[in-house]
Amino acid sequence: MLRFALRRLLVALLVALAVSAASFLLVFLAGDPAVAMLGQGGRAEDAAALRTLYGFDRPLPIQYAAWLAKALVGDFGRSQFFNLPVAAILWERLPTTMTLGVCGLAFALALSLPLGILAALRPNSALDRIALLVAVTGQAIPSFWLGLMLIVLLGVVFPVLPISGADDWRGFVLPTVVLGYYATPGFMRLTRAGMIDVLEADFIRTARAKGLSAPDVVLRHALPNAIIPVVSLAAVQFGFMLSGSIVIESVFALNGVGRLAWESITRSDLPVVQAIVLVFAVIYVILTLAADLLNAWLDPRIRAA
Amino acid sequence: MMKALFVASAALALLALPPGAEAGKADDTLNVAFSAEVEPLDNYKIAGREGLILTRHVFDGLLYKDMDSGTFKPALATAWKFTSPTAIELDLRQGVTFHNGEAFDADDVVYTLTTIADPKYGTRYKIVIDWIKNVEKLDKFKVRINMSKAYAPALEMLADNLPIYPNEYFAQAGSQGMAAKPVGTGPYRLVEFTPGTRYVLERFDGHYAGSPKGKPAIKRIVVRTIPEANTQYAELLTGKLDWIWRVPPDQAKRLAANPAVQIVSGGIMRIGYVHFNVAEKAKKFPTGNVKVRQAIMHAVNRQAIIDAFVGGASKVVHPACNPAQFGCATDVKQYAYDPAAAKKLLAEAGFPNGLDIELMFAAMPRPQAEAIAADLGKVGIRVTLNEQQYAAAAPKWRAGEVPMVLGNWGSYGIGDVAMILGNFFAGGADDLVGDAEIKAWIDTGDTATDPAVRKDAYAKALKKIADNAMWMSLWDFNVNFGVSKDLAFKPYPDEFARFYRAAWK
């Protein structure tokens, strides 16, 4: 188990490094960062001055190595746009994105687990169809559109919820629903399939034969077995939710890391882009690693592979 | 990405909305939203227009440009005169205090301008500072600015483009400190901010009497970043916002139908253009031939494109400048929409069967680029459109790699033709024409102090540009503001919103 964990950790670190190098390169491929920082009023001589100021004129590998050397000791540098330390900016924005991710995941699970279980109990019934409909709609509706529709409905026509910013918990309600709903189908389908499999297993028949009540059989015996793949999907989905929050954060004007990433890319604020990519890659890697290890712990066959 | 789908479906819903609640007026707070994040308020490190709008509330310049009369008014300087073509002496106002209580005097001016003109400081736009050689203190309230060259738009630069910082605070805090906690003399002071996304300004009651900016009527301004335009509209309709800008014409019409909202619109200095690669620095292009360029200009139906895609308030522009700018001569050769003439010119140029050409564009809406390409296609000019991010496009045209570029230019919001001709025709990196005679005329216009001499020199340059079809101006830009019905707000053509002049009705 330890060797497995170490091997996974090493691969994870290499992945994080590769992602960070690739993103560094992409920012330069997207255009001249000095020109991007200046916007349309910038003249060639302004760009030349910035290139010298920030060292964009050095060879890319040297720039990357210089950045990496500092990042490894925790110095992410200063944002060229904000003129503030990158760490301070990230620290300010990360809680919003994390809150949104956790709430979105919780909402998705709270919606999809009951739906999946109910659908599995009565496969191909009307209930199953309704659960399927809910799930498919979630997958099919673009989240920004759902967000805007909810804004019109609950923010404007019936003004019960704030529609932009996150001054208190109410600001998170609509974004949570939109973000979570999009992740519902995967969980729901997986729960349903797992439950149908498990419900046909011998030990469930035994449990029923012993005369256990239906809720007991379903929730205490079947669900824990069916939910294993859902747990590992949830770990990966959480990563998707953090990165998928770019759109949601824009629609609801939340000051999270997702939006910061997007804005920083458009203005070529390299230190911020690099720090975010690294932080996200590490979070992603940790989540995947956790899912791997969890599965390995639950299922010894994986460890051997 | 987000817009197209939504617009169709939300339009109906928005129309049915109830009138909004009154929020801003009740608590004397002007709620403003921008789409772009705002930089911290060290004026000299800001590239975005939004940040520059806010710095003009927090800081003052030595002079103030009054856009209503087109004249310069005393601000931190009470009087000024050119003592030679390359020296300006300014008498400074007495009794002005900064937000932190520091008293304003010549030391502030000398220290601020000396610091930000030093290349080490990293001031974003050289055009603002490269004419300053040094600044001398003559006495406690008198300074002399020695110029590195005669430069007619120097007064424009002194008017709010070169805000004055308090020397003691600035010396100790530096650019980073100024970004974290800006201190100025302006009508508002920054009381709270979250970098990029939220700025709270409060009226500075110690603002000096006699300021050309006046005493603000509104106590607080809260500026937020709301990237998604549709979310801005919803907040405006429900009264949680009082001011948004850059509302597209079709949305403006819908918003105006709601009684809680008024649409205010105004023309600005920005114009759209197609710049032809005449110099052919990197390689040969058909645009090296004047007849091809003239054919292109006759082939594009600018008025029809305005009507369909730009919005009715814009007008076709003929000279290579905005007619609202000083020195923009409008009596230049005009190229009317005439496809037959275009075809004839093409044939004369040796392209009877038409030609293939690339049009690169950045920061212009794709439908407008496609409309131009379609018009050109009708006369046999087969266009390959090449859309690029601005940062990717600029290096390409500066290297002369493309035959023509579609873009727009805002002249820094300055109503002087030097701000556009100087960039595109005076031999700089963006000059794709490289005409020595035109450059000489522009130099004369940029350095002469007599307005008549300036006008005459620029007119010569503009006429030659038009005669030789070196540049096709398209149309001027208009900005629509979505404003609460309770708010009196007047837009100005320099794209600097003046909230200090806004008031509740």
Side-chain angles (χ1 to χ4, degrees):
Chain A
M1 184 70 196
L2 185 67
R3 264 195 62 206
F4 174 82
L6 283 176
R7 204 169 61 216
R8 278 299 156 123
L9 191 65
L10 188 68
V11 171
L13 282 175
L14 288 176
V15 168
L17 197 65
V19 167
S20 130
S23 74
F24 192 82
L25 194 65
L26 282 175
V27 170
F28 278 88
L29 284 179
D32 184 332
V35 177
M37 285 167 62
L38 285 166
Q40 285 189 57
R43 294 183 169 199
E45 51 267 39
D46 299 331
L50 276 188
R51 240 172 258 134
T52 321
L53 184 67
Y54 293 118
F56 295 145
D57 45 0
R58 295 170 298 165
L60 281 187
I62 290 179
Q63 288 189 53
Y64 181 68
W67 172 81
L68 190 65
K70 283 190 170 172
L72 286 179
V73 295
D75 177 7
F76 288 120
R78 296 182 81 83
S79 157
Q80 292 144 10
F81 179 83
F82 289 115
N83 198 4
L84 292 167
V86 172
I89 300 167
L90 278 189
W91 197 241
E92 191 165 320
R93 304 229 186 174
L94 211 49
T96 303
T97 302
M98 286 295 172
T99 310
L100 189 57
V102 170
C103 292
L105 189 66
F107 176 80
L109 290 173
L111 186 66
S112 57
L113 288 185
L115 275 179
I117 295 168
L118 288 175
L121 289 174
R122 302 263 185 285
N124 300 321
S125 65
L127 194 70
D128 189 16
R129 295 287 161 210
I130 292 171
L132 181 70
L133 181 74
V134 171
V136 169
T137 330
Q139 192 89 71
I141 294 181
S143 45
F144 72 87
W145 185 85
L146 179 63
L148 291 168
M149 284 298 119
L150 286 176
I151 283 178
V152 170
L153 187 68
L154 296 175
V156 181
V157 180
F158 306 105
V160 290
L161 285 168
I163 53 186
S164 70
D167 296 334
D168 56 23
W169 63 271
R170 293 165 66 237
F172 280 102
V173 175
L174 292 180
T176 295
V177 170
V178 176
L179 188 63
Y181 189 43
Y182 189 68
T184 303
F187 292 138
M188 198 289 259
R189 300 302 290 169
L190 212 54
T191 312
R192 178 184 179 274
M195 284 297 281
I196 288 178
D197 271 358
V198 174
L199 285 172
E200 284 168 358
D202 292 345
F203 71 93
I204 294 296
R205 202 176 331 136
T206 311
R208 285 209 172 106
K210 283 199 312 190
L212 292 182
S213 68
D216 242 16
V217 172
V218 173
L219 296 179
R220 282 190 42 205
H221 292 267
L223 188 61
N225 286 289
I227 211 171
I228 292 171
V230 178
V231 171
S232 54
L233 178 67
V236 177
Q237 272 289 354
F238 185 64
F240 276 121
M241 286 195 159
L242 293 183
S243 47
S245 60
I246 295 177
V247 172
I248 309 286
E249 285 175 9
S250 292
V251 169
F252 293 100
L254 297 174
N255 306 320
V257 180
R259 217 182 86 205
L260 179 66
W262 162 248
E263 298 251 357
S264 300
I265 291 167
T266 57
R267 57 194 176 220
S268 285
D269 195 350
L270 267 166
V272 178
V273 175
Q274 282 303 100
I276 294 177
V277 167
L278 194 67
V279 167
F280 270 52
V282 167
I283 291 177
Y284 221 98
V285 158
I286 289 174
L287 288 171
T288 318
L289 190 67
D292 280 354
L293 296 178
L294 193 64
N295 278 345
W297 179 63
L298 291 168
D299 188 343
R301 283 170 299 178
I302 297 176
R303 258 175 276 168
Chain B
M1 159 185 74
M2 298 186 189
K3 276 174 201 150
L5 232 168
F6 173 72
V7 166
S9 46
L12 284 170
L14 286 178
L15 271 180
L17 298 175
E22 293 176 34
K25 186 179 180 178
D27 57 2
D28 204 3
T29 300
L30 180 65
N31 291 295
V32 168
F34 293 125
S35 298
E37 293 202 338
V38 183
E39 289 137 306
L41 304 185
D42 174 4
N43 184 84
Y44 298 100
K45 297 289 179 73
I46 297 179
R49 177 59 55 130
E50 293 80 2
L52 293 174
I53 287 176
L54 297 190
T55 54
R56 288 176 178 224
H57 290 76
V58 174
F59 303 105
D60 289 312
L62 291 167
L63 314 183
Y64 178 82
K65 175 84 179 263
D66 182 73
M67 295 302 288
D68 292 318
S69 64
T71 57
F72 295 101
K73 293 268 165 77
L76 291 178
T78 49
W80 59 93
K81 65 168 187 289
F82 280 89
T83 49
S84 86
T86 56
I88 315 174
E89 285 186 16
L90 301 106
D91 295 319
L92 304 180
R93 192 181 292 269
Q94 308 195 12
V96 177
T97 47
F98 286 94
H99 299 157
N100 64 353
E102 219 180 296
F104 165 80
D105 59 27
D107 291 330
D108 301 304
V109 179
V110 173
Y111 186 79
T112 303
L113 297 184
T114 307
T115 307
I116 59 95
D118 184 337
K120 279 203 288 292
Y121 189 76
T123 293
R124 286 286 184 262
Y125 296 127
K126 299 284 167 285
I127 190 169
V128 177
I129 49 166
D130 62 2
W131 57 278
I132 299 176
K133 188 167 132 205
N134 60 39
V135 186
E136 293 172 76
K137 175 180 176 178
L138 300 182
D139 66 40
K140 193 163 194 278
F141 290 101
K142 195 172 177 77
V143 295
R144 181 191 299 132
I145 302 177
N146 295 306
M147 299 159 65
S148 55
K149 59 182 181 188
Y151 187 55
L155 294 181
E156 292 279 357
M157 294 307 162
L158 291 174
D160 269 338
N161 286 307
L162 288 163
I164 302 303
Y165 292 172
N167 67 322
E168 284 158 45
Y169 174 72
F170 188 33
Q172 161 233 321
S175 169
Q176 293 166 10
M178 209 45 139
K181 191 179 179 305
V183 173
T185 56
Y188 285 88
R189 60 198 179 89
L190 186 72
V191 291
E192 181 194 330
F193 89 119
T194 314
T197 57
R198 188 182 150 89
Y199 292 77
V200 181
L201 303 175
E202 216 167 74
R203 186 169 55 206
F204 174 48
D205 289 322
H207 188 49
Y208 66 91
S211 162
K213 292 178 181 175
K215 186 176 163 58
I218 296 173
K219 188 165 187 336
R220 274 163 73 86
I221 307 173
V222 176
V223 179
R224 292 196 295 148
T225 304
I226 302 182
E228 174 55 42
N230 290 299
T231 310
Q232 290 185 8
Y233 307 151
E235 292 283 37
L236 181 67
L237 290 168
T238 51
K240 294 195 193 82
L241 283 178
D242 303 302
W243 187 97
I244 60 175
W245 75 336
R246 296 180 176 168
V247 181
D250 51 335
Q251 296 297 327
K253 237 179 259 170
R254 287 200 186 90
L255 288 172
N258 190 293
V261 174
Q262 49 172 332
I263 295 293
V264 178
S265 84
I268 56 174
M269 291 303 164
R270 194 169 294 277
I271 62 168
Y273 65 81
V274 173
H275 194 14
F276 297 112
N277 188 340
V278 178
E280 302 180 287
K281 270 192 280 196
K283 48 181 157 174
K284 298 290 279 178
F285 289 114
T287 48
N289 185 321
V290 61
K291 293 202 165 156
V292 171
R293 301 195 298 268
Q294 289 175 328
I296 290 172
M297 290 179 70
H298 276 305
V300 178
N301 190 344
R302 289 174 274 183
Q303 188 58 52
I305 298 174
I306 290 175
D307 295 340
F309 298 112
V310 184
S314 289
K315 289 182 293 296
V316 174
V317 172
H318 295 285
C321 46
N322 188 320
Q325 290 175 310
F326 169 85
C328 187
T330 50
D331 56 336
V332 299
K333 185 173 166 64
Q334 300 191 356
Y335 296 83
Y337 176 57
D338 187 349
K343 277 186 188 161
K344 190 160 161 283
L345 281 161
L346 274 185
E348 288 170 19
F351 298 100
N353 303 315
L355 56 92
D356 296 284
I357 197 164
E358 178 188 350
L359 174 62
M360 185 168 76
F361 69 106
M364 288 290 276
R366 187 158 192 103
Q368 296 176 14
E370 281 174 351
I372 291 170
D375 276 352
L376 292 174
K378 283 179 206 154
V379 301
I381 301 170
R382 296 170 293 273
V383 174
T384 308
L385 284 177
N386 175 6
E387 180 168 15
Q388 295 277 345
Q389 288 290 316
Y390 186 82
K396 286 201 174 72
W397 79 64
R398 284 171 185 166
E401 288 169 9
V402 286
M404 48 185 186
V405 184
L406 165 65
N408 67 74
W409 183 252
S411 294
Y412 307 90
I414 293 175
D416 191 309
V417 79
M419 295 300 133
I420 185 165
L421 293 182
N423 193 64
F424 292 102
F425 297 97
D430 288 332
D431 182 353
L432 300 181
V433 171
D435 186 299
E437 198 179 17
I438 293 176
K439 181 185 183 317
W441 283 321
I442 294 171
D443 287 345
T444 305
D446 285 357
T447 51
T449 41
D450 179 355
V453 174
R454 297 191 65 209
K455 265 189 187 169
D456 181 58
Y458 291 134
K460 282 183 188 145
L462 288 165
K463 281 195 177 116
K464 181 163 185 188
I465 292 165
D467 286 343
N468 293 284
M470 291 158 165
W471 164 285
M472 171 163 65
S473 284
L474 297 170
W475 41 75
D476 57 3
F477 278 47
N478 263 267
V479 174
N480 293 312
F481 302 82
V483 176
S484 156
K485 67 168 189 335
D486 296 326
L487 188 72
F489 173 80
K490 183 179 174 189
Y492 288 91
D494 57 9
E495 272 181 276
F496 288 111
R498 290 156 168 79
F499 298 128
Y500 47 77
R501 290 273 174 84
W504 302 114
K505 283 185 188 166

